[in-house]
Every structure is written in C-alpha cells, then in structure tokens.
Amino acid sequence: MLPRLTLPPPRAGLAAMGLAFILPGLAFHDLWKTQDAIGLSIAHGMAWTGDLVVPRVAGTLWLVDQPLYHWVALVLGKLLGWAMEFHSAARLASGAFVAAAFMLIYRAEREWTDPEDTNIRRTAAGAAFLILLGCVGLLLHAHEALPELAALAALCGALAALPHAVDRPVAAGVAFGVALGIAFLATNWMAPVGFAIAVIAAHFVAPEWRTKGGALFLAVALAIALVMAVSWPLALAARSGELFRTWWELASRREGTLGANLRVFFSTASWFTWPAWPLALWSAWSLRRRWRELRLFVPAAAVLAMSALLIVWGPGNETLVPVLAPLSLLAAHGVFTLRRGAVAALDWFGVLTFGFFTGFVWLGYVAMLTGVPGPIARNFERMAPGFVPPLQPLAILVALALVVAWLYLIFFTPFSPMRSVARWACGMILLWGTIAMLWMPWIDYQRSYRSVAQELKARLPANASCLVARGLGVSQAAALDYHGGIRTRPFDAAKPTACPLVLVQGAPHDELGVPASAGKLQWRKVADVGRPGDRAERFRLYRLQR
C-alpha cells in the first residue's frame, strides 16, 4: 500500500500546487481577445513610446484601466525579452500577481485564526488557499493579461494586514493603505472602495477596534490609500485636463439598469465564484451568532459592499475577480462546520466533474492525432482547418503525471473536512494543466491573429500613407498592431475618400461595411482574411481606385 496523504498539505505542497496551476498555459501563446490582447498591447505601447502615464491600445487612447498592471508587465517584458517574446514575458505579470494572491490569502487566514493552535491555523490557511485556487472564474483569467489580478493580490494583502490593526497600528495601516492604493491603480475604484467601506463599518461593530490604536490604524491607512489613489489621476491631469476629464467620465459612468445588472451579476457570480459562494453562505449561517467577530464581519461586509457597487455601476466577468479575496476567506470558515453529507456531495461532484472533462480532453487529443473517433476528429478539423497537431512527448508526460497525481489524491486521502476542497482544487489543476499540455497548440491556432496581421501587412502598399477602419474591435486592433504593426484611424463617413485604404471587420457572409463608391472612384477589395475556422470575423482590405 502506498502511504496516505495528510491534510492540510504542507506549505511546500501548497506552493507546488499553486505553481502547477499558474505556469501551464501562461506564456508561449499569442495574444487572445479580449482582455489579454488589450492588456498586452498597452504594455507593448509603453515599451515602444516610453509613455507610462497615458495607456493606449494600438495608438488609441485607453483610459478604462489604470496602468499599474501594465507597468509590471512592461518591466517583465523588458527584463525577459532576451528569453521569450515580449507578450509571453509580459503576461508573466499575471502569474506573479496570482502567486502573490495565493501566498497572501494563506497568510491572511492564518493570522485571523487562533494563534495558540498551530494545527488549526495551518488547516484554516490551507483551506482558504485551496478555495481561492478552486474558484472557476480563475481557470482562464489567471492566465490572461488581466489588471484585476493585481487588485486580487492587493486585497489578499489587505486582509493579511488587518489582524494587526490594534497591536501594530502604524505598520498595519501602512500595509493596508498600500494594498488599497495598489488595487485602485490596477483596476476600477469599486473593489478598494467597497473594501474600505467594510473596514470602516467594522470599527463601529468591533469593540477592539474602537481604541486609539484602531483610530490610528484607520487614519494612516486611509491617508496612504488616498495619496496612492490620486497619484496617477494627478499625473494624468498634469499631462492634460481633457485626458483627466475623459478618465473621470469613464470611471464614474454607470452601465446598464439596476435590474439588468442584478440579473447579470447573479447569473455570472453563480458559476464564477463556485465553490466559494456556497461555502461562504454556509459560514455566514453556521456562525451567525458570532457575526461580530472581525474574521467573519470584515470579509462578509466586503463581499456585500463590493457586490452592491458592482450591481449599481455594472458588473462584468473580470470585475468579479477581486471579490474572490474576501469571499474565499469567509468560505474557509465554513469548511469545518459542514455536515458530512455536504462534504461528500461536494467531494464526489468534483471528482466526477473533473474526471469526465479531463477524459474528454484526452479523447479529443487522441482524435486530433489519430483521426479516431472519426466524428470527434472531424469536429476538431472543422473548427481549425489546416491544423496539424504536433506530437510533443514532454507535454504528454506532464499531462500523464497530472492524472497520476490526481488519482493518488483520490484513492489515498482519508476523509476530512478539507478533502472536498483539496480534491476540487486539484481537479482544477488537472483540467487546466491537461488542456494546456494537450490542446494549447490547437487553441492558439484558432485564437491567434498573427497570421491575419501578417497577411494584411503583405497586402498593404509599401508607401501607404494612411489606413482607416470600420467596425474594427479594440482587441483585434491591438493584435493587428502588435503582430503586424498595422495601425488604423477611424473612418470618417463625411469624407469617405479621404484615405485610399479601408480595413473593414465584418461577418463572413456579408460586406455591409464596404464604403460607398463616389463617381469614378471605386473601391476594390485587395484582401479578405480571417482566422482559421472563425465563422464570425472577416477582415477585408479595400483600396480606392479611379
């Protein structure tokens, strides 16, 4: 008999699990739409122009995201550019922020737990780590150039600073303020403001924070957070008052109606935050008599405040990423009060789910290589015509190693309250790692715009003075600029012949975006390209001829 695993895993084991989740599929693939292409294009533009204040996508102003994530991506792209392409090196910023989030959520839960029982502290900290890693929303977003990942790491750091608010008010206040400032400089204002509201409310609930130390902590934290938060907007205003006004309008604008936002939020959060949200609800219910305890009140209030702001101002998939920090911390407390039947249900649901989907990934890979089973092989060929799957022995060995490790966890782990979250987190590692090892060339072949950019560049006249675009998406413009140096400006309907070259993005079966001819001036199509198997996008290049 092989030795049984013990839970919680040691810190070295958790670190290995974190790396096994982060590294596969992070680098060595092209820009993917939407957020990945936008984030990497901003960092590449900063490297090209040297302008660190005004983010731009393919030369066009982009003030939707604050620039902190892109600064880190720029540094990594420059430092590691000798070893890999700029976009692969820059995307490692996402890996660094996710690793920081894992480390800090572990530390946060350990600091919130009873310091006299080392085993309980390790168990609770390990549960928070595994719950955060297991959130479905991180499966893809953790491997994209997503600024919200910096906010996630920052809020995990803020949670780790809070337990020392009274005994070390200045140091904890500095750490907490810096964390909120980083969250603001990385993404929109809703996540740090919602978190600050929760901490301010906690000062009215918890007697231990209604002291001189608690007041000093709050004053130091808010002062530093405010200074950091206004640093970039002030730099933007110093550059141009119009730029600042544009940013402020975008930052304060509400999206959608309250009812529509509510429906979108709950429909998205139901799968995005799984399995953290049911565990968090159970924590709130099972420990409801102890709701004044800061370890419960702060994360619960933060989740409620952040969710309310997202519902009012408009939610999105990526905006939910920072919410995972307090949600995972709250959910960790519920793991140890779950009924045995609930633990077993989550446990085997994860085993069956990840076993089924991982088996399908292997079946698809075998079909790509051998053509058997025929129907599955034909479906893969139809989605990526012309793709020749490479035989990569190392990737196959890594994928097999993940399967063996997962099976070992299933059959040699004794029952414990942590086993369900441990198996779920390892199932996430198994599924993503298998996809990254076996399917990544096929996925990148379909999603990359490299071939489109290169073909369009070859069709452009060498002496072209301008190029205008109709219907070109932001992420598509970013990819064309990065891979082919193709930059466009908006099409002016009032002066349709002002530029002799027009690039139109449209559907394969219509050409509604074709500019109208005027008299003897006729538009001739010189290129019609798209990604392999893409049935939604075509890029058509027209040239004006007399």
Side-chain angles (χ1 to χ4, degrees):
M1 293 291 293
L2 295 173
R4 288 180 172 267
L5 295 174
T6 58
L7 295 175
R11 281 184 291 184
L14 292 175
M17 292 171 63
L19 291 176
F21 174 75
I22 293 169
L23 293 180
L26 184 63
F28 304 110
H29 66 77
D30 286 340
L31 283 66
W32 292 349
K33 70 173 187 182
T34 304
Q35 297 298 327
D36 190 59
I38 292 173
L40 294 174
S41 176
I42 293 172
H44 185 252
M46 289 179 175
W48 185 259
T49 64
D51 187 355
L52 303 181
V53 177
V54 184
R56 298 181 186 275
V57 176
T60 302
L61 190 67
W62 183 263
L63 296 175
V64 177
D65 298 315
Q66 278 80 292
L68 183 138
Y69 175 91
H70 310 106
W71 293 338
V72 178
L74 168 64
V75 171
L76 290 175
K78 287 282 192 179
L79 288 178
L80 302 176
W82 60 272
M84 59 184 73
E85 291 183 279
F86 179 88
H87 63 273
S88 291
R91 199 185 288 113
L92 294 179
S94 295
F97 283 121
V98 173
F102 289 162
M103 180 185 70
L104 291 170
I105 198 70
Y106 179 91
R107 182 179 180 85
E109 181 62 34
R110 188 183 64 182
E111 296 299 318
W112 279 113
T113 310
D114 183 5
E116 297 183 359
D117 195 324
T118 305
N119 187 51
I120 290 179
R121 294 182 76 190
R122 287 183 56 247
T123 303
F129 174 97
L130 294 170
I131 290 170
L132 179 59
L133 187 154
C135 287
V136 174
L138 278 184
L139 187 66
L140 179 60
H141 285 320
H143 305 90
E144 291 184 309
L146 192 68
E148 282 77 9
L149 296 175
L152 172 66
L155 294 190
C156 289
L159 289 167
L162 282 176
H164 303 288
V166 175
D167 58 334
R168 286 181 282 175
V170 175
V174 170
F176 186 80
V178 169
L180 288 190
I182 290 174
F184 181 86
L185 291 176
T187 181
N188 60 57
W189 56 271
M190 288 177 277
V193 168
F195 205 93
I197 290 172
V199 172
I200 293 172
H203 278 73
F204 295 95
V205 171
E208 60 267 36
W209 275 9
R210 292 198 297 271
T211 61
K212 290 183 179 180
L216 180 60
F217 160 79
L218 192 61
V220 171
L222 293 180
I224 291 180
L226 183 62
V227 170
M228 289 190 63
V230 302
S231 59
W232 177 72
L234 288 178
L236 195 65
R239 177 72 64 86
S240 166
E242 184 179 352
L243 288 176
F244 177 80
R245 286 189 294 272
T246 302
W247 167 78
W248 179 255
E249 183 180 334
L250 290 170
S252 58
R253 185 175 62 192
R254 290 180 56 187
E255 301 287 345
T257 63
L258 187 63
N261 290 345
L262 191 66
R263 289 191 296 272
V264 171
F265 177 84
F266 282 106
S267 63
T268 304
S270 61
W271 63 265
F272 193 96
T273 63
W274 179 274
W277 72 262
L279 293 173
L281 285 178
W282 175 251
S283 293
W285 171 255
S286 62
L287 302 174
R288 61 191 180 278
R289 299 182 185 277
R290 301 159 62 180
W291 68 272
R292 288 179 179 270
E293 294 183 13
L294 289 171
R295 66 190 183 100
L296 300 173
F297 180 85
V298 171
V303 170
L304 291 176
M306 294 162 68
S307 300
L309 292 174
L310 289 175
I311 291 170
V312 172
W313 265 270
N317 282 4
E318 61 278 358
T319 57
L320 286 171
V321 170
V323 182
L324 297 179
L327 191 67
S328 299
L329 195 72
L330 179 62
H333 301 300
V335 170
F336 307 101
T337 59
L338 276 176
R339 306 291 173 83
R340 189 182 182 94
V343 172
L346 177 61
D347 193 354
W348 287 105
F349 174 70
V351 169
L352 295 175
T353 299
F354 291 111
F356 172 80
F357 284 110
T358 303
F360 177 76
V361 174
W362 274 100
L363 181 63
Y365 182 67
V366 171
M368 280 191 281
L369 284 179
T370 65
V372 179
I376 295 178
R378 287 190 291 273
N379 282 333
F380 278 95
E381 172 64 24
R382 186 174 64 253
M383 288 185 283
F387 174 71
V388 179
L391 181 62
Q392 299 174 307
L394 180 60
I396 294 174
L397 289 176
V398 173
L400 286 173
L402 290 173
V403 172
V404 171
W406 188 66
L407 291 174
Y408 183 72
L409 176 72
I410 291 175
F411 292 107
F412 292 93
T413 305
F415 180 84
S416 77
M418 273 195 70
R419 192 174 73 174
S420 59
V421 294
R423 284 183 173 179
W424 183 274
C426 289
M428 289 279 286
I429 296 170
L430 169 72
L431 179 59
W432 175 254
T434 306
I435 291 173
M437 292 298 105
L438 303 183
W439 283 18
M440 188 57 69
W442 178 77
I443 296 172
D444 199 35
Y445 180 80
Q446 300 174 78
R447 301 193 66 176
S448 172
Y449 286 91
R450 186 186 294 265
S451 61
V452 174
Q454 292 174 347
E455 187 168 352
L456 287 174
K457 186 176 179 63
R459 301 292 184 91
L460 286 171
N463 58 348
S465 58
C466 65
L467 175 64
V468 296
R470 300 190 71 177
L472 186 62
V474 177
S475 59
Q476 289 86 349
L480 296 181
D481 174 59
Y482 181 83
H483 289 302
I486 300 172
R487 286 199 173 181
T488 64
R489 63 177 190 237
F491 179 81
D492 187 356
K495 300 178 181 178
T497 60
C499 181
L501 292 168
V502 177
L503 178 63
V504 179
Q505 177 184 333
H509 303 298
D510 66 65
E511 299 191 30
L512 298 178
V514 180
S517 300
K520 296 182 178 180
L521 300 177
Q522 300 291 325
W523 291 96
R524 185 173 69 88
K525 183 164 61 176
V526 296
D528 189 344
V529 299
R531 294 180 297 173
D534 193 337
R535 301 183 180 183
E537 292 177 351
R538 296 298 295 179
F539 298 87
R540 301 181 175 96
L541 180 64
Y542 296 89
R543 186 172 184 176
L544 187 64
Q545 290 187 336
R546 296 184 183 275

